[in-house]
Amino acid sequence: RSGAQPGDELYVTGTLGAAAAALKVGDLERCSFGEKLSSLNEHYFRPRARLPVGIALRGIASAAIDVSDGLLQDVTHLCTASGVGVKLHSDAVPTHQESGLQEALLGGDDYELVFSSSRLLPEMDVPVTRIGMLTAAPEILLDGHPVEADGYDHFQDQR
């Protein structure tokens, strides 16, 4: 998480928001092992680890994190660890066809990779989308406006 530099591009694999949309729709308790699942429930119950992408990014990504707590929350973790900020573009965030921008930005459990790089990316077996650029100013901007990191907080009940 701590190797990102100002000027690095910020990328995300796949699409975001499906797991959060599955939670919003409900009917999760009726899913059982071996059952054919809806697209949303497939993303929630059977996320695909991006191990081949992670391996391909060794020596190319300056920093990386998975989207487990929400895109904004996890990008903030990456930026804080690296001492950088980011300018994100909402129209570039790849949302799942059955979710919206809010689910993509704030929902977790997508397990896609968010990573920074200043290098040319190799061909990957999943879509990779540029969603922003890292900056020296330690702030998170979405479409030019400051935003607070919001997503799942593992320690909220312990404060």
Side-chain angles (χ1 to χ4, degrees):
R1 295 183 192 180
S2 62
Q5 298 293 315
D8 285 356
E9 307 282 347
L10 191 68
Y11 299 92
V12 66
T13 61
T15 61
L16 303 173
L23 286 172
K24 186 185 274 188
V25 170
D27 285 336
L28 298 177
E29 70 279 353
R30 298 191 318 173
C31 296
S32 61
F33 182 76
E35 178 182 352
K36 174 127 174 73
L37 301 176
S38 70
S39 175
L40 293 178
N41 285 349
E42 182 74 26
H43 281 270
Y44 182 80
F45 285 108
R46 300 176 184 142
R48 301 229 174 4
R50 298 299 187 193
L51 297 175
V53 175
I55 291 168
L57 290 173
R58 285 189 299 195
I60 294 170
S62 54
I65 189 171
D66 71 333
V67 181
S68 57
D69 298 334
L71 180 65
L72 288 179
Q73 184 89 317
D74 291 317
V75 165
T76 299
H77 294 321
L78 185 147
C79 288
T80 300
S82 295
V84 297
V86 67
K87 291 181 181 178
L88 295 170
H89 307 286
S90 65
D91 59 346
V93 175
T95 59
H96 183 272
Q97 63 190 13
E98 297 179 62
S99 71
L101 183 61
Q102 286 301 103
E103 287 95 357
L105 293 174
L106 305 176
D109 295 330
D110 287 310
Y111 303 106
E112 295 294 344
L113 296 180
V114 174
F115 64 94
S116 59
S117 182
S118 62
R119 302 184 57 196
L120 185 64
L121 300 182
E123 192 69 31
M124 307 252 192
D125 63 348
V126 297
V128 175
T129 307
R130 181 190 174 276
I131 59 170
M133 179 176 277
L134 299 179
T135 64
E139 60 187 348
I140 309 300
L141 300 176
L142 180 65
D143 300 328
H145 303 285
V147 292
E148 292 294 320
D150 196 7
Y152 185 75
D153 182 352
H154 296 274
F155 303 105
Q156 66 188 358
D157 294 334
Q158 299 174 2
R159 292 186 186 145

